[in-house]
Amino acid sequence: MKKVLTLTAAMLLTAVVSMTAYNAQASDDPTVAPQEGKTVIVYFSKTVPDGVDATTGATPTATYKGKTLGATQYIATLVQEQTGADVQRITIADDHYPVEYNDMANQAREERDNNIHPALTSTHDLSQFENIIIGMPVWWFTMPMPMYSFFDNVDLSGKNVYIFTTHAGSGLNSNPSRVKEVEPDANVSTDGLAISGEQVAQNASSVTTWLQRIGLYKDPTGVRNITVGNTRPFPAFNLQGQQVPEGYKGIVIKNGRKMIIK
C-alpha cells in the first residue's frame, strides 16, 4: 500500500498539497444562480479491468451497493441519486492505457506534455441540457487529456457548468478555470467540489452540501425549495413528506435542507 500511495502522489499531487477531503473555491458564486431545467452529469473515471488488482490501477476504487466503482464514478453515482440527472460517461478504448500503474502514468504524462487528445469511444449530445455537472480525476496537475478530447467535441455556450474532482491532495487544481478557457461562453461555476479519491466513501455528506449550495439538490422525499411568505417561518416535514408541528423532534426537511431537531 505504501508503494501505491507514493505512486499516486507522484502522478497527482500539486506543489502545494491540501489533504482536505472537500474543497470549494468559492461559497457564493454570483455568476451562476441556482437553475431549473434539465441536468446531466458527464464524467471520466479510469478503472482497471475485471480481475486485475485494483491497487495497480489508475484511480482508487470504492464499493457501493455491491459494485466496485472508480472514485470519480462513485461521486458521479451519488450526484445522480441526489439530482435525478441524466448520466453520460466519457470513454476511450479499453486498451488505450496500460493496466500497470507506472506505464499508465508515463503515458498520461506523455499525452499531457505533447498535448495529445486521445480519441473517445463515447459521443455526447448536450443540446437538451441547461446544467452540466462535469466530474474528473486530477492527473499530472491538470485535467486528464481525454477531458480535452471531450471539450473538443462539445459546445457548452450558455450552459451552467459545475465541476467536481477526485484527487490525491491537489483539490480542484484550477480545473474550473481550465474549463472556462476551453469553453469561454459557458457559465462555469467557481464553486466546485473536490474529494480525495481515497476518501470518497466517507464524504457523501460533502456531495449533498455542495449540491444544495449550487441549487441542484433534489431531496429523495420530493420536498424541495419550499416557498412561504416572509412573515411566516418555514414549515418542517418528516422523511415521509408530512408537515410536522412545532416541537417535533427528529430528522426533518426545512427550507429544502435536512436537519436534526433535538
Side-chain angles (χ1 to χ4, degrees), residues 7 14 34 42 52 78 200 204 233 235 239-240 248 252 254:
L7 289 171
T14 56
V42 183
V52 176
L78 295 184
V200 292
L239 296 182
Q240 287 72 47
Y248 178 88
V252 301
K254 191 171 184 180

Side-chain angles (χ1 to χ4, degrees), residues 14-155:
T14 56
V16 179
V17 175
S18 169
M19 291 308 296
T20 55
Y22 164 76
N23 173 37
Q25 288 191 339
S27 60
D28 182 14
D29 181 2
T31 64
V32 182
Q35 297 291 321
E36 297 298 330
K38 295 193 66 174
T39 300
V40 64
I41 303 157
V42 183
Y43 74 95
F44 174 72
S45 185
K46 177 69 176 73
T47 53
V48 298
D50 291 339
V52 176
D53 181 4
T55 61
T56 68
T59 185
T61 58
T63 301
Y64 186 69
K65 296 183 178 179
K67 296 182 179 181
T68 299
L69 307 177
T72 309
Q73 183 183 17
Y74 186 99
I75 297 302
T77 300
L78 295 184
V79 171
Q80 194 282 328
E81 290 184 346
Q82 297 182 41
T83 60
D86 289 6
V87 178
Q88 296 184 17
R89 182 169 183 169
I90 299 169
T91 59
I92 56 178
D94 290 340
D95 60 353
H96 178 78
Y97 290 114
V99 171
E100 200 280 324
Y101 191 95
N102 280 337
D103 293 340
M104 186 269 166
N106 289 336
Q107 181 170 329
R109 182 172 59 181
E110 181 180 353
E111 289 180 348
R112 181 205 65 175
D113 292 347
N114 294 283
N115 195 30
I116 296 172
H117 298 192
L120 303 183
T121 56
S122 57
T123 58
H124 304 275
D125 180 3
L126 305 179
S127 59
Q128 61 181 308
F129 301 101
E130 288 77 26
N131 309 307
I132 318 294
I133 302 174
I134 296 176
M136 68 188 84
V138 176
W139 284 4
W140 289 112
F141 324 120
T142 187
M143 298 190 294
M145 296 311 292
M147 293 302 307
Y148 285 96
S149 303
F150 163 75
F151 290 116
D152 289 341
N153 291 285
V154 298
D155 180 3

Side-chain angles (χ1 to χ4, degrees), residues 159-213:
K159 309 288 188 182
N160 302 316
V161 179
Y162 308 88
I163 309 299
F164 72 84
T165 66
T166 56
H167 63 93
S170 50
L172 281 171
N173 199 244
S174 300
N175 280 336
S177 297
R178 293 189 177 96
V179 173
K180 185 65 175 178
E181 289 176 1
V182 296
E183 293 288 342
D185 296 321
N187 303 316
V188 181
S189 176
T190 58
D191 188 350
L193 175 70
I195 296 180
S196 166
E198 301 285 353
Q199 300 175 8
V200 292
Q202 292 77 44
N203 284 277
S205 61
S206 295
V207 175
T208 302
T209 300
W210 178 60
L211 292 173
Q212 288 175 333
R213 192 170 62 248

